[in-house]
Amino acid sequence: MYELSRVRLYSIGPAGARYADTVLDLRGVGEPVTAPAPAQADFFEDEPAGPPRRPAPAGVLFLENGGGKSVLLKLIFSVMLPGHRNTLGGASSGVLRKFLLADDCGHVALEWQHTLTGETVVVGKVSEWRGRQVSGDPRKFAEAWYSFRPGPGMSLDSLPVAEAGALRAPVEGTSGARGRRRTMKGFRDAVTEAGKAYPNLDVVWEEIHERWNEHLGGLGLDPELFRYQREMNADEGEAAGLFAVKNDSDFTDLLLRAVTDTRDTDGLADLVHGFAHKLGRRAELMAERDFTAGSVDLLGRIVEAAADRERARDVHAGAERRTRTLARRLSARAARERSRAAELAGQVTAAAHTVTDAEAERDRCSRVAAELAYRHASLSLAAAEKAAAAQRRELGDARTLLAAWQAAEAVLRHRAAADRSARVAAAIREAERDAAPALAARARAATELVGALDAAAEDAERAAAGEEERSAALQAAGESAHRDATAAATGAQRARSEAEHLRQRLAEVEQETTEAVRAGWLDDTAPDADPARAALAA
């Protein structure tokens, strides 16, 4: 069994006493719920302080005559008893249509709470005038009913009756309606989307009275009970007036209405009422028939034009659908191409960074190689100079030794000659007296000694010439090493000069590119634009 917990009225009511956005709250003052059902709250919602309580068991609404008590009851009964025959007050069939202005989209929502589990369900009604024009034709008065179970996603306070202009946290007991009022179609779309996004809401939308009555019965809200309430409040009297029968036929009618289904009889009553209305308008209908028969020829052209217009509309709708499909495909393709372009731009940027790093590494390696070559040439030059110095010292020593050997030979020859001369003189003096053959032997020995001395002098001169050639070769090798070191130093200096020249040229190119971008010759408005590549492409 359910009890009425809250009532919300939005943009509905007579012109003098309208409900802009009103909530009647009857919650939290009754007895605690005996077996509360578990409920999933919102993520940031505070935990409940205790078990839920039932709505107020009774309430009194004090208003003066004409204050709107009957209007409130009629609006509540319009949700639970759809149809103009069930309107409070009996025969006032068009009273609900008087509660709605041309631009209104009226809402009446009732929140019911189960007496045992505390579960809540919201049932409501939305109505508006088709074409935004008030008319006496009841067919232009659109009505629909809906129901859902409040929870994360939608509640009675957050009904999408208006297009919210700003996002703000919903406050319990206050209206969340902000911005322009929604139409019935917009409200239905919003409720349906909320039902798809949150299946726990169990959203149901109905536009036929019988189906809505069946749905209310399935929820546990029996419309028959509200029919008794309507009859008890038909003339704003007390409940005893319902059973104030005058004779047996009145009691039988009351009993039959209580135990029989009134849907068929209501349909029959509506049919009889329609026939009676048509018979009352017989003369008007006959004149209308004559007018219609005379206007058929004239309306034929309008029908043909309308058919042409419908065909044109169908063609236009098909073209619009195809255009929208093409636009969606193009937008999807554009998104993919933009993502691919972004990836390629990232790859190009990474490649540019890699090239820059490689160029820097190459410059560093070239500088290291030049430095190594310079150091190697310097070391080679130092070694060559050291070897040349050693060779020069060796050459000096060889020349000194040669001069000493040359001087020693002369001294030895002189000493030997002197000794031999002394001995020969002594021998001559001694042998001259002894024998003449000794003189001849002395002459031959002297000749052989002179030949030997000449041969020794020639060998010494050849050795000196070889040492001089070796010294010249060593001096040529030293000069070649010096030339190589000089060439390496010159190449390093040339590389430094070229690097400095290239840096100056790069700065000049960047300045020229900046001036070209400033002059408008190159375009750098795109996020990934590269003026250097644009200049190269130009």
Side-chain angles (χ1 to χ4, degrees):
M1 181 178 178
Y2 285 91
E3 294 177 335
L4 185 61
S5 176
R6 283 192 297 172
V7 179
R8 182 176 180 182
L9 306 170
Y10 180 82
S11 186
I12 198 169
R18 293 180 55 77
Y19 295 100
D21 192 0
T22 305
V23 178
L24 302 180
D25 196 347
L26 309 175
R27 300 174 301 173
V29 295
E31 296 294 330
V33 176
T34 57
Q40 179 67 35
D42 289 337
F43 187 76
F44 294 101
E45 186 178 353
D46 297 334
E47 293 293 333
R53 304 180 68 90
R54 294 171 58 180
V60 179
L61 183 61
F62 290 99
L63 289 175
E64 298 179 355
N65 291 334
K69 300 185 295 297
S70 299
V71 172
L72 176 62
L73 291 177
K74 290 176 183 179
L75 293 175
I76 293 175
F77 283 125
S78 69
V79 179
M80 308 307 297
L81 290 173
H84 66 273
R85 293 180 58 82
N86 294 322
T87 304
L88 183 67
S92 57
S93 59
V95 66
L96 295 178
R97 297 193 293 272
K98 298 179 181 178
F99 294 166
L100 208 64
L101 302 181
D103 296 333
D104 283 340
C105 181
H107 295 267
V108 181
L110 311 178
E111 184 181 78
W112 300 85
Q113 181 178 347
H114 199 273
T115 57
L116 299 179
T117 63
E119 294 179 329
T120 57
V121 61
V122 175
V123 295
K125 172 188 174 182
V126 56
S127 54
E128 70 174 3
W129 286 104
R130 292 188 175 94
R132 297 293 184 178
Q133 292 182 355
V134 179
S135 174
D137 189 358
R139 292 174 298 180
K140 294 184 178 181
F141 185 73
E143 296 177 304
W145 292 264
Y146 60 91
S147 71
F148 65 91
R149 296 188 180 277
M154 189 167 59
S155 64
L156 183 69
D157 297 321
S158 61
L159 278 177
V161 296
E163 299 176 357
L167 295 177
R168 63 184 66 187
V171 180
E172 182 69 21
T174 61
S175 172
R178 298 291 186 275
R180 188 176 58 184
R181 290 176 296 186
R182 294 182 186 268
T183 62
M184 181 186 292
K185 183 179 182 301
F187 178 77
R188 177 178 181 177
D189 294 340
V191 171
T192 305
E193 291 297 330
K196 293 179 180 179
Y198 300 93
N200 58 290
L201 295 177
D202 194 13
V203 177
V204 176
W205 183 276
E206 295 291 349
E207 297 181 359
I208 300 177
H209 299 169
E210 289 76 10
R211 292 182 180 178
W212 177 245
N213 287 331
E214 294 175 359
H215 178 65
L216 288 177
L219 291 177
L221 301 171
D222 189 3
E224 190 67 22
L225 298 177
F226 297 96
R227 189 172 66 84
Y228 295 151
Q229 293 288 335
R230 182 192 63 80
E231 292 183 0
M232 287 189 294
N233 292 275
D235 54 356
E236 299 184 0
E238 58 185 8
L242 176 65
F243 301 98
V245 294
K246 298 180 180 180
N247 48 37
D248 297 341
S249 60
D250 294 340
F251 178 75
T252 304
D253 293 338
L254 175 63
L255 182 61
L256 290 176
R257 285 196 303 270
V259 300
T260 59
D261 189 2
T262 60
R263 288 180 292 182
D264 296 337
T265 57
D266 288 342
L268 180 59
D270 292 337
L271 182 62
V272 173
H273 178 73
F275 277 116
H277 182 66
K278 290 180 181 180
L279 289 175
R281 298 176 55 209
R282 179 181 177 84
E284 181 182 355
L285 292 176
M286 291 181 66
E288 183 178 356
R289 183 192 63 183
D290 296 336
F291 174 78
T292 304
S295 303
V296 169
D297 295 336
L298 298 177
L299 294 176
R301 299 177 183 178
I302 299 177
V303 171
E304 294 177 359
D308 295 338
R309 183 187 63 182
E310 292 298 329
R311 286 194 296 270
R313 285 182 177 178
D314 294 338
V315 173
H316 179 267
E320 186 176 2
R321 286 194 301 271
R322 291 191 296 271
T323 304
R324 289 179 179 175
T325 303
L326 179 60
R328 287 194 297 270
R329 291 179 180 176
L330 290 177
S331 62
R333 178 65 179 275
R336 291 194 298 269
E337 292 298 334
R338 282 194 293 270
S339 62
R340 180 60 179 168
E343 294 177 0
L344 292 178
Q347 294 176 4
V348 169
T349 304
H353 290 312
T354 304
V355 170
T356 304
D357 297 340
E359 290 179 353
E361 184 67 19
R362 184 188 64 184
D363 295 339
R364 189 182 67 81
C365 292
S366 63
R367 290 194 296 270
V368 170
E371 186 67 22
L372 290 176
Y374 172 73
R375 292 187 180 182
H376 183 268
S378 300
L379 293 175
S380 299
L381 177 60
E385 290 177 350
K386 186 176 180 182
Q391 289 175 0
R392 281 193 295 271
R393 287 194 302 271
E394 186 178 355
L395 178 60
D397 295 340
R399 286 179 178 177
T400 303
L401 182 61
L402 177 60
W405 277 106
Q406 290 176 353
E409 186 66 25
V411 171
L412 287 176
R413 283 197 305 270
H414 183 268
R415 288 180 180 180
D419 291 341
R420 284 193 298 273
S421 178
R423 287 192 302 270
V424 168
I428 289 173
R429 284 191 302 268
E430 291 176 357
E432 280 180 353
R433 295 186 298 269
D434 294 335
L439 293 174
R442 184 189 65 182
R444 289 192 299 270
T447 302
E448 292 175 357
L449 179 60
V450 170
L453 290 175
D454 291 335
E458 291 176 358
D459 292 338
E461 288 177 357
R462 284 193 299 271
E467 292 296 332
E468 287 179 355
E469 290 176 357
R470 181 182 177 189
S471 176
L474 292 175
Q475 189 173 2
E479 292 176 355
S480 177
H482 181 69
R483 286 193 303 271
D484 293 340
T486 303
T490 304
Q493 185 63 30
R494 186 183 297 108
R496 293 190 188 95
S497 300
E498 291 178 356
E500 184 64 25
H501 177 69
L502 289 176
R503 291 192 188 95
Q504 293 177 359
R505 182 57 183 164
L506 180 58
E508 293 175 358
V509 169
E510 289 178 352
Q511 184 177 2
E512 291 174 359
T513 303
T514 304
E515 292 176 356
V517 171
R518 190 181 299 111
W521 297 342
L522 297 177
D523 185 15
D524 63 337
T525 57
D528 54 347
D530 189 356
R533 292 184 180 274
L536 182 60

